[in-house]
Amino acid sequence: MADAFAYAPAIAVFPLVAFVVALVFGTYMPKKGAFAGIIATGGSLLLSLWMLVTVAGGEVRHNSEPLYEWTAGSAAAEAGAEGISFSFGLLIDPLSALMLVIVSLVAFLVHVFSLGYMNDEGETGLPRYYASLGLFTFSMLAFVVADNLLMAFMFFELVGLCSYLLIGFWFRTKSAPSAAKKAFLVTRFGDYFFLIGVVAIAATFGTVGFAGEDSFVVAAEAAIDDGATLFGFDAQTWVTITGLLVLGGVLGKSAQFPFHTWLPDAMEGPTTVSALIHAATMVAAGVYLVARMFGYYALSPTALAIIAFVGGFTALFAATMGVVKDDIKQVLAYSTISQYGYMMLGLGVGGYVAGVFHLMNHAFFKALLFLGSGAVIVLMHHEQDMWEMGGLKDKAPVTYYTFLAGALALAGIVPFSGFWSKDEVLFDALIVGLEQPVILAAYAMGLLAVFFTGFYTFRMVFLTFHGEPRTETAEDPHGVGWSIKAPLVVLGVLAAVAGFVNLAPIAHIAGWDIAFLEHWLDGEYGSVEGLTYHAYHETVAFEEGYVGSETITMLLSAGLSLGLALAGAFAAHTLYNVPEPERHATKLGGAYSVLRDNYYQDEYQVWLAEGLTLPLARAADLFDRTVVDGAVDGVSTGSLFGSSWVKRIQTGLVTNYAALLVAGFVALLAALGLYGGWF
Amino acid sequence: MTVAVEYYVLLSMAMFCIGLFGVLTRRNALLFLMSVELMLNAANVNLIAFAFYHGNLTGQVFALFTMALAAAEVAVGLGIILVLYRNFRDVDVTVPTTMRW
């Protein structure tokens, strides 16, 4: 089976080929390039599954021959800039194999769904759409298998570019290009920190590899053990600093506070694109990067605590905003921000398995919810305001039941997938939080967000599907075809059952060995040394505390989160599951305006740009033009002025030159005479 | 009767100064060339006088070299003057001032 990895590059290359094909021949192809994308992502999916099976068989790929080498690195210089080799290579371990399957599966389903969502709706510019989709999938898959930080960074950027292309797909409107630019710029702002972080790591440790003996993780660990001083900081602090720099990119791409503002605007893109971005590609890329570099972050409790706190805060912050939105996609957008907050919280408290588990479950149920909302939008003739809907339950049963499965998973109702992973995140946060007040605060915010999640999720479900139809379109919805229903069914089943791969609480209480994902990530099948859950767990030096025993804590945590989720769902049921729901949110008064306007995040960022950065830039510009340019121009003006005088001796008359020559000679003679003592 | 070397030096100086004066004041290229010849010959007078004074032939040999060089220089100089005349219809050295910066 070893040669399975020979085909691994093809996983990423297939969508790249689809990109080229759709771009060049898309116009002439049936369905405008859709089938190229479907075949390519389907091929990627099959190969990814093969990788999964191969990894399960105990094989991994890392530190093998790089696919492409940029700079080999001088063998003479062991460390420093000379010694770094930059290459493209593959790292296929349990984590990336799992992620490959998630990404290619969601991409495949999104391609299929697009047949119904884009082709059947008579959209124009479809070759461009499918080409971008292919490039997006390619970038993400290549990012997933990247074996070093530089390669990861490059594909991270490419993912950002693709999001720009796709969010701005309807470039003739005013809002879509603006949203695309916003997404690109906000995430790029984070990526600047990432780039500095990459350079800092490369310069410090002389390597950018993720795994193996000569990875920067191992080098950092050695530096901390040696008590080395790096760039004037002790090793631990330096790891924290570089880790946080890289985290800047993560916060941007994964839309964590305060870089989350691009994501709700990104709803301007086609819904299928939202499904891909939110479930499996761009937004997931940030969290995946944290998981990929987990060994590095594990070395720094400070960085982890910051990740956990930002995650917990974002989870709550975004969830509260989701409560008052009227646009079905906006609700899902805030839900995405909130859910990625949970993943960050999980990873930040050292719950590697919990974070990855939630990443996986979220990919399925959020893709489902977005595609479901896409189906609703088709049903409603491109109406997105939930207040215009209602009563779709009976008219579109497939959409309803699959959407409901996604909603139950999102809200975290047992036994749907989201419950298991969210509960594991919260449990990990709680046991660490009992010893660490900062993390306890993050946990509390995450826990509170569960209530809001349950509330906004079911508010969305009830407003959309229950009650009486509130408009004529809702009474007579447009039908949807198999290409919309099939992906929904696949994802609906996954949303319901994906949680069963890691029933940690039941495994613990009943003593059964059914925490499959934990075993998987712990390398019980195949693993790269150092990249296992156990290795991380030993590095993360968090103390764990329990209320009573571990079992009681676990039940308490699960009970609390389930209770809150049910309470949220019940509150939504009371308020909105009536034939003629009202806008209860407006009764909140001032709080409603604050929530509706997203805590004035955009306003304050605009203020930051216009009120602070712009005057600062103007002052810098003035300084540049007067002092810096003044100095440069002054020098040139001076020499120009001087030369305008000096050039007058250049008459072109031989006589004058001869006279000058003679005068000079006489002067020289006189000077020599004076110094030589002739007079 | 031998003439003291100072007289030769004085003669040479006079010739050189006349030549220099010509170079600095004359505008006719031909007179210019003649003035340069005069300065060269002032140097020759010096060379021969000192050779005689010191009793060896080195100075005289150098004087021959200088004459050869002067002949060559005249050949080049006349060429330049011909081109000058062809281009400017004049042998006034103050007219062609285009060869500056």
Side-chain angles (χ1 to χ4, degrees), chain A residues 471-491:
Chain A
T471 54
E472 281 178 21
T473 10
E475 273 174 24
D476 183 25
H478 187 280
V480 292
W482 67 268
S483 59
I484 285 187
K485 285 178 185 162
L488 287 181
V489 171
V490 173
L491 286 168

Side-chain angles (χ1 to χ4, degrees), chain A residues 139-457:
Chain A
S139 319
M140 186 64 192
L141 288 170
F143 170 74
V144 166
V145 294
D147 77 337
N148 65 67
L149 200 54
L150 186 75
M151 180 178 169
F153 175 77
M154 291 174 58
F155 287 104
F156 208 62
E157 290 299 295
L158 208 51
V159 168
L161 167 74
C162 296
S163 77
Y164 171 79
L165 295 174
L166 283 168
I167 293 168
F169 177 68
W170 287 308
F171 61 90
R172 286 187 181 83
T173 64
K174 207 177 168 192
S175 49
S178 148
K181 272 183 271 183
K182 187 174 179 184
F184 192 69
L185 290 177
V186 173
T187 56
R188 270 321 293 276
F189 183 70
D191 290 341
Y192 283 125
F193 294 102
F194 186 6
L195 180 59
I196 300 168
V198 173
V199 173
I201 285 173
T204 315
F205 303 114
T207 166
V208 285
F210 279 134
E213 285 298 306
D214 51 354
S215 68
F216 60 88
V217 181
V218 173
E221 204 171 352
I224 289 176
D225 287 344
D226 294 348
T229 304
L230 304 166
F231 292 90
F233 299 96
D234 63 287
Q236 181 104 43
T237 318
W238 186 245
V239 168
T240 309
I241 292 171
T242 48
L244 290 180
L245 283 171
V246 174
L247 192 67
V250 172
L251 295 185
K253 285 282 192 289
S254 280
Q256 299 295 292
F257 180 82
F259 298 145
H260 64 273
T261 49
W262 66 269
L263 192 137
D265 291 31
M267 295 299 112
E268 290 298 330
T271 312
T272 43
V273 171
S274 306
L276 191 61
I277 292 182
H278 291 231
T281 53
M282 181 163 172
V283 193
V287 169
Y288 178 78
L289 184 66
V290 177
R292 182 79 287 171
M293 287 179 53
F294 195 72
Y296 195 70
Y297 284 112
L299 296 170
S300 163
T302 320
L304 279 183
I306 289 172
I307 294 175
F309 193 81
V310 169
F313 179 72
T314 311
L316 178 60
F317 188 65
T320 55
M321 290 186 275
V323 166
V324 298
K325 298 295 171 210
D326 296 329
D327 183 326
I328 186 169
K329 284 178 72 183
Q330 288 284 330
V331 176
L332 289 172
Y334 283 100
S335 146
T336 301
I337 302 174
S338 174
Q339 295 302 307
Y340 279 97
Y342 278 113
M343 292 167 214
M344 296 285 277
L345 174 64
L347 290 170
V349 296
Y352 174 67
V353 173
V356 175
F357 188 25
H358 201 51
L359 180 62
M360 179 188 92
N361 285 342
H362 178 266
F364 297 143
F365 68 68
K366 188 49 64 69
L368 169 62
L369 286 172
F370 265 114
L371 294 184
S373 77
V376 168
I377 291 167
V378 171
L379 289 167
M380 294 296 300
H381 299 273
H382 294 262
E383 174 59 66
Q384 301 189 10
D385 189 341
M386 294 191 294
W387 292 101
E388 305 291 318
M389 301 175 186
L392 291 175
K393 181 171 69 158
D394 304 320
K395 280 145 191 148
V398 176
T399 309
Y400 172 65
Y401 285 108
T402 50
F403 198 87
L404 189 65
L408 287 165
L410 169 61
I413 310 287
V414 78
F416 287 85
S417 62
F419 168 77
W420 303 104
S421 52
K422 192 186 283 180
D423 173 62
E424 205 170 324
V425 167
L426 289 171
F427 171 69
D428 284 343
L430 177 62
I431 58 173
V432 175
L434 289 173
E435 299 290 326
Q436 301 240 352
V438 177
I439 295 197
L440 193 63
Y443 165 73
M445 288 189 289
L447 190 64
L448 194 56
V450 172
F451 173 78
F452 287 108
T453 310
F455 184 78
Y456 71 66
T457 309

Side-chain angles (χ1 to χ4, degrees), chain A residues 647 650-655 658-659 662, chain B residues 20 23-24 32 93-94 96-97 100-101:
Chain A
K647 77 176 182 189
Q650 299 281 355
T651 55
L653 296 180
V654 183
T655 318
V662 171
Chain B
L20 184 63
V23 166
L24 292 184
F32 207 89
V93 290
T94 58
T97 54
R100 54 179 174 152
W101 57 282

